[in-house]
Amino acid sequence: MIKPVDNEKKTTTMKALVFHGPNNLALEERPKPTIMEATDAIVRITTTTICGTDLHILKGDVPSITDGRILGHEGVGIIEEAGTDVSTFCKGDKVLISLISSCGRCSFCRQGMYSHCRAGGWLLGNVIDGTQAQYVRIPFADTGLYLLEPEADEEAAVMLSCILPTGLECGTLNGRVKPGDIVAIVGAGPVGLAALLTAKLYSPAEILMIDLDDNRLAVALSFGATKVVNSSDGKAPEHVMELTKAAGVDVAIEAVGLGATFDICQAIIAPGGRIANAGVHGKPVELHLERLWSSNITLTTRLVDASTTPMLLRMVQSGRLDAKKLVSHRFNLSEIIKAYDTFSNAAKHNALKVVLGS
Amino acid sequence: MIKPVDNEKKTTTMKALVFHGPNNLALEERPKPTIMEATDAIVRITTTTICGTDLHILKGDVPSITDGRILGHEGVGIIEEAGTDVSTFCKGDKVLISLISSCGRCSFCRQGMYSHCRAGGWLLGNVIDGTQAQYVRIPFADTGLYLLEPEADEEAAVMLSCILPTGLECGTLNGRVKPGDIVAIVGAGPVGLAALLTAKLYSPAEILMIDLDDNRLAVALSFGATKVVNSSDGKAPEHVMELTKAAGVDVAIEAVGLGATFDICQAIIAPGGRIANAGVHGKPVELHLERLWSSNITLTTRLVDASTTPMLLRMVQSGRLDAKKLVSHRFNLSEIIKAYDTFSNAAKHNALKVVLGS
Amino acid sequence: MIKPVDNEKKTTTMKALVFHGPNNLALEERPKPTIMEATDAIVRITTTTICGTDLHILKGDVPSITDGRILGHEGVGIIEEAGTDVSTFCKGDKVLISLISSCGRCSFCRQGMYSHCRAGGWLLGNVIDGTQAQYVRIPFADTGLYLLEPEADEEAAVMLSCILPTGLECGTLNGRVKPGDIVAIVGAGPVGLAALLTAKLYSPAEILMIDLDDNRLAVALSFGATKVVNSSDGKAPEHVMELTKAAGVDVAIEAVGLGATFDICQAIIAPGGRIANAGVHGKPVELHLERLWSSNITLTTRLVDASTTPMLLRMVQSGRLDAKKLVSHRFNLSEIIKAYDTFSNAAKHNALKVVLGS
Amino acid sequence: MIKPVDNEKKTTTMKALVFHGPNNLALEERPKPTIMEATDAIVRITTTTICGTDLHILKGDVPSITDGRILGHEGVGIIEEAGTDVSTFCKGDKVLISLISSCGRCSFCRQGMYSHCRAGGWLLGNVIDGTQAQYVRIPFADTGLYLLEPEADEEAAVMLSCILPTGLECGTLNGRVKPGDIVAIVGAGPVGLAALLTAKLYSPAEILMIDLDDNRLAVALSFGATKVVNSSDGKAPEHVMELTKAAGVDVAIEAVGLGATFDICQAIIAPGGRIANAGVHGKPVELHLERLWSSNITLTTRLVDASTTPMLLRMVQSGRLDAKKLVSHRFNLSEIIKAYDTFSNAAKHNALKVVLGS
């Protein structure tokens, strides 16, 4: 076969979304990344998306991110080059990128707590350049990538980079959702909806969704919530207690990251219940130990480890999890500034996850 | 057999410690209790003790306790009379009294969460008369009492009414202490020492004890703490981080019930660690979710279920748990006001648990 | 309201199915049961059903069952009379009968292992008279009965007396089925189908059903099995290994009770997998420890504790579990001999569960 | 500092114990190993030991081991050379060698089931050359070695290569030993004694040791067994039932690998109990499902994953586990044939673990 002239090789720059301080993003030409460690791979991004955390970054809330950083920690793409110590992937493989890099060797990795890997953790779009670009360098490629079939649906797959593992691990699993439970999810944004989709895998009897926005609550109902509560009247706890005949809920998942939403969780949790915090908090909250000390509750926090990605991938592949329904808008990478605008004003645009093609 | 004249039957009153509002206790003559339900038993108290919670009551901190209540929820005694539906015990049996009454039938009991039994829970010395008396009525006697050998050591046994199950369940078990762990216990009073004694059953590598009082810390060392930290300089977190080479602790057990001691737990907990609250809190605390949201920690609260009492009893009986070492002072029931004084001023008297004989 | 003449009170006998030795059943007039203990209730049976275990009894395989015993351990009915110590139910309440009686007080009950209750366990239709009659005496009524709404579907409810808890506890829960798993169920009779229905609550990626009968396999597919294997060629293991790309299965549920079906489970289990035995075995089996010693597998056995009945009831009530689909045939109690014939020849009649109305 | 002439470098051969078929071992000169993969390390062995599995190999029972293989999978030594991708260790580090090699990347490693690593598992002295030599090549050095202090006790440390993790993981952990349990260990050889030492970390109330040899039973008592049973009269089950007042045991650990010893476990297990198989079996066993199907028992098998080595190391380092007491005899590597003879005739020599210095 006569190979066509490979223009790509000659190109040494790429398009990338660069952070230049609060509220200052630019789509720029940047040098293409190259292999730095034998365990690295270079991936050509074909699909990426924007995370709620990217909006926090944009506001300047995440101090680890400095001027010049390429953002993004979610993506699907094609292996462009694999380091000499990458044993699982070859050039041309279609792969899913995990937001979490893990060395597989440190004590945290050996316990499955990849988010706290001593050499990894959340690196992409944080302390190294990320996926909102044409190419990205992936450290520890063997454990940070997952092989996809060539025909895999990329929009479904990219939901497994971050949002679905987050909903599952920080919400559903930490909340120990089980058949017959009554579950409340506070916040019907992407994290809350991901918690909802994954909670359903454990067959709770009821899933109550709580949010300020009726559109989001309507989406939650279409995703399988059994009841919804609009909390804009400030009386969410009263409504939940009424819906549960004063029993409260077995599991409360906090998917917003504010004191007010955390308070709802505290107010509705039944004795023996679990509060699973999935929100990113910027301030301390008040914990009502004067009441909860005797309630036999469990409260958890978690930075997603993405240890459930292989399971989620099997569920998507077997048709048992419709990950794609989280996608509401589609753009090209060249339109990423517009995509950020849409995602930043989610209520106005009825936006859930906003996907960017190559 | 000619029965001797039973003087006891003629006596219809008994001595009992009665609460008459904040800082107002009196040893009084009160009517002897009688069987009210077929599942009740009347126990003649031979050994009782005072709990830290009794001191809270004395200060007026526990609103469920009203004027005229006989205090006390710990005790060992002899079955005086058993209701017609009591199947496990007969008159004359020596028994250990559990602080928790449980019907064995409700949904909480069926989950082992006896503290929240719909018909029981913590009743004795709270919403019904308690054990700091010559006799007590025990509801649900079959599940609220444990048979002791006639020759059983009563001082060891009475430590299983409340203090050791509390340290074990609220501290050690909720903290999921396991071999190799580094455990910190904040507060070296009876609850903290009970947590220490029971944590040792799970073989942590280190147990750090934190308190303001050097005498208590010396006791903790003699009980098996591997290191102690006097927190009176306000730098307990710094000391713990130094002792753990900046790793922090796997388990932090809060055994005081104050914001300041809860703060120490938050400051020293390692990623993936567990904070087990065993203290009784009167006020909300500040929870540092702005830092802990990503730390993969678990925080638990619990009113003791006393579900571990049978296991603790086996451990005491097999000689593997020296419960009696928690006892520092001994009085007769007639001296109970003095006993309260000693226990209230524990630091002055180097008091741990104060036991009352009949 | 003028009460009609209550003929029932005058009647002191009832119809009941009585066991008179192997293959000898008779529908007879027997005295109506009466309260014997304060914790008993008398239930008028409105719906009952036949269990595979009843067929074992009929063959003479269960030595604890003696001549004259009324069979049956499943049922729904109306409280006719409640003992003085029954606190949860009143005359006229519609109730579900659990096959397991539990005192709620013994050490096994306190661990949730009601099947081994020292005063209870499987009593009904075994060592005391059972539910295939117009009336039955239920010991420990508070824990052996569950309140139903007056309008509850009795055919759905009676599936919770035994068959669904058995499939769930002995199969699904002991097999620790979880999202993404590959599960094989050997035997598509009522127990296997109950395992299938309850396994789905935990969202495995695949459920393979293995049986000799194509009709049963067709039913399994309609119940949600993802693949089926007819094992009549003696090559079930080969087929399963092919379907799993030589990986084997994460969970193998034995739902027959024979050496041959147990062998299939041993042959297909993946390293780290769980074999959950739900079948009633009459003979020892060969365990291939020469191969399995290094496979990190777990093998479990269990007499159903029926501890999951409350959860299953919530799932049926919330519409998330279609218990009624297990019912294939309906008869009146007067036709019970015919019903046994149908159930005994299940393959011929395409019978699943056979229900008897009053 | 003037470096002495390094004779070692000039030497390209080493002494090694080589397997040449059943009952045919020879101490030979072999080429020193060299780095083959970037993740390898070469370790100079300073202490090694012999495993019961080596005796199985010697008899020809382990078909994966072929003529010419250097035996041994336990050892402590000094890093001689580290591959370019080894990040944790440097030349000169003292290290503990784990019997299990693990890539840290495959699906089994990501679940902590290192024994079934797709690229690793039990390789040393099995499918690659082992540690009973002056040097050994260690694959995946970062995860297969543990750093020791220069002054660490090598005899204690080498007990963590295989025997203590085996007793802990296959016996104690799989048996879910917990405070208050009654534990029986069948077989008082090194595996059984390792199970005993590690079971004590979880504070069972009783540990019954069962063996044919009174000397071994005496050792077991000195290690902390609470009762011993000599099974040479064929009545071990009767003795155990008598010692447990007919209750049976909560945990039975099989540490021999024969049908007869497995039978003892089946006969003594209490309802709800766990049988943990730690023995290497050469033949199928009979499993009494006709009795056990209703006993709610759990039976486990496991090839040691050595995932607990870091915890055991902390326990040894903190002085809470006296690993060294397993060592009964000491030899030099040049005497290894004699050491095998001693270990093969353990009863005659009262041998436990036999350690080989360099």
Side-chain angles (χ1 to χ4, degrees), chain A residues 60-83:
Chain A
D61 288 351
V62 188
S64 53
I65 293 161
T66 50
D67 185 3
R69 176 67 61 233
I70 300 174
L71 297 187
H73 53 263
E74 301 167 280
V76 166
I78 305 290
I79 298 278
E80 180 80 6
E81 188 183 353

Side-chain angles (χ1 to χ4, degrees), chain D residues 49-257:
Chain D
T49 179
I50 307 172
C51 183
T53 303
D54 294 325
L55 300 185
H56 279 286
I57 294 169
L58 189 55
K59 288 179 195 154
D61 287 352
V62 187
S64 53
I65 293 161
T66 52
D67 186 3
R69 175 67 61 235
I70 300 173
L71 297 186
H73 53 263
E74 301 167 279
V76 166
I78 305 291
I79 298 277
E80 181 79 8
E81 186 183 355
T84 53
D85 189 38
V86 175
S87 56
T88 320
F89 306 103
C90 304
K91 182 174 162 70
D93 283 346
K94 183 184 268 199
V95 290
L96 165 66
I97 297 169
S98 175
L99 85 157
I100 297 294
S101 304
S102 71
C103 74
R105 304 171 180 182
C106 73
S107 62
F108 284 120
C109 282
R110 298 298 265 189
Q111 298 170 64
M113 211 166 96
Y114 308 128
S115 60
H116 286 72
C117 169
R118 295 182 195 283
W122 173 37
L123 303 181
L124 292 169
N126 179 9
V127 294
I128 66 173
D129 283 336
T131 58
Q132 291 169 3
Q134 288 182 293
Y135 295 88
V136 66
R137 179 181 70 88
I138 302 295
F140 306 113
D142 277 322
T143 52
L145 299 174
Y146 294 92
L147 190 67
L148 298 175
E149 301 291 311
E151 68 278 11
D153 184 310
E154 299 198 4
E155 294 190 356
V158 81
M159 296 300 113
L160 274 56
S161 284
C162 170
I163 192 71
L164 278 169
T166 296
L168 174 55
E169 296 175 16
C170 305
T172 296
L173 287 179
N174 266 10
R176 303 201 304 269
V177 176
K178 59 181 192 308
D181 274 354
I182 301 179
V183 177
I185 301 172
V186 186
V191 171
L193 293 171
L196 168 56
L197 286 178
T198 57
K200 283 168 62 186
L201 300 177
Y202 295 86
S203 303
E206 300 284 350
I207 306 180
L208 316 183
M209 206 81 185
I210 301 164
D211 200 288
L212 294 162
D213 183 78
D214 280 334
N215 284 325
R216 289 198 153 181
L217 291 174
V219 171
L221 281 171
S222 78
F223 276 36
T226 57
K227 286 168 188 155
V228 295
V229 172
N230 189 310
S231 54
S232 54
D233 64 357
K235 296 187 175 171
E238 290 84 343
H239 299 314
V240 171
M241 294 316 275
E242 197 182 332
L243 288 170
T244 59
K245 298 174 188 166
V249 302
D250 300 299
V251 182
I253 298 175
E254 207 285 342
V256 179

Side-chain angles (χ1 to χ4, degrees), chain B residues 24 60 65 85-86 99 117 125 163 208 213 241 244 285 298 309 350:
Chain B
N24 192 344
I65 293 161
D85 190 37
V86 175
L99 85 157
C117 170
I163 192 71
L208 316 183
D213 183 78
M241 295 315 275
T244 60
V285 300
T298 301
T309 304
N350 288 340

Side-chain angles (χ1 to χ4, degrees), chain B residues 8-291:
Chain B
E8 205 176 278
K9 274 199 182 156
K10 295 177 184 164
T11 316
T12 58
T13 63
M14 64 172 184
K15 272 182 265 175
L17 184 80
V18 182
F19 174 76
H20 290 298
N23 298 312
N24 192 344
L25 291 180
L27 188 64
E28 303 180 355
E29 282 294 310
R30 287 283 293 262
K32 279 174 61 178
T34 54
I35 297 282
M36 293 171 64
E37 304 280 341
T39 47
D40 287 350
I42 304 299
V43 175
R44 178 167 57 84
I45 297 293
T46 51
T47 300
T48 185
T49 180
I50 307 172
C51 183
T53 303
D54 294 324
L55 301 185
H56 281 286
I57 294 170
L58 189 53
K59 288 180 196 155
D61 287 352
V62 187
S64 53
I65 293 161
T66 51
D67 185 2
R69 176 68 60 234
I70 300 173
L71 297 188
H73 54 263
E74 301 166 280
V76 167
I78 305 290
I79 298 277
E80 180 79 6
E81 188 184 353
T84 53
D85 190 37
V86 175
S87 56
T88 320
F89 306 104
C90 304
K91 183 174 162 67
D93 282 346
K94 182 184 269 199
V95 291
L96 165 66
I97 297 169
S98 176
L99 85 157
I100 295 294
S101 304
S102 69
C103 75
R105 305 170 178 181
C106 72
S107 61
F108 284 120
C109 281
R110 298 298 266 191
Q111 298 169 65
M113 212 166 96
Y114 308 128
S115 60
H116 286 71
C117 170
R118 295 184 194 281
W122 172 37
L123 303 181
L124 292 168
N126 179 9
V127 294
I128 65 173
D129 284 335
T131 58
Q132 291 168 4
Q134 287 181 296
Y135 295 89
V136 67
R137 181 181 69 89
I138 302 295
F140 307 113
D142 277 322
T143 52
L145 299 174
Y146 294 91
L147 190 67
L148 298 175
E149 300 292 311
E151 68 278 11
D153 185 311
E154 300 198 3
E155 294 189 355
V158 81
M159 296 299 113
L160 274 57
S161 282
C162 170
I163 192 71
L164 278 168
T166 296
L168 174 55
E169 297 175 16
C170 305
T172 296
L173 286 179
N174 266 12
R176 303 200 306 268
V177 175
K178 58 181 194 307
D181 275 354
I182 301 178
V183 176
I185 301 172
V186 185
V191 171
L193 292 171
L196 167 57
L197 285 179
T198 57
K200 284 168 62 185
L201 301 177
Y202 296 86
S203 302
E206 301 284 350
I207 305 181
L208 316 183
M209 207 80 185
I210 301 163
D211 200 288
L212 294 162
D213 183 78
D214 279 334
N215 283 325
R216 290 197 154 181
L217 292 174
V219 171
L221 281 172
S222 77
F223 276 35
T226 57
K227 286 166 189 158
V228 295
V229 171
N230 189 311
S231 53
S232 54
D233 64 358
K235 296 189 176 170
E238 291 83 342
H239 298 314
V240 171
M241 295 315 275
E242 195 181 334
L243 287 170
T244 60
K245 297 174 191 168
V249 303
D250 300 301
V251 183
I253 298 175
E254 207 285 341
V256 178
L258 296 172
T261 45
F262 187 77
D263 279 345
I264 295 175
C265 296
Q266 297 187 72
I268 64 178
I269 196 73
R274 288 84 67 192
I275 299 175
N277 185 80
V280 178
H281 289 258
K283 293 180 187 169
V285 300
E286 195 174 52
L287 178 67
H288 288 287
L289 276 188
E290 85 284 5
R291 188 169 50 79

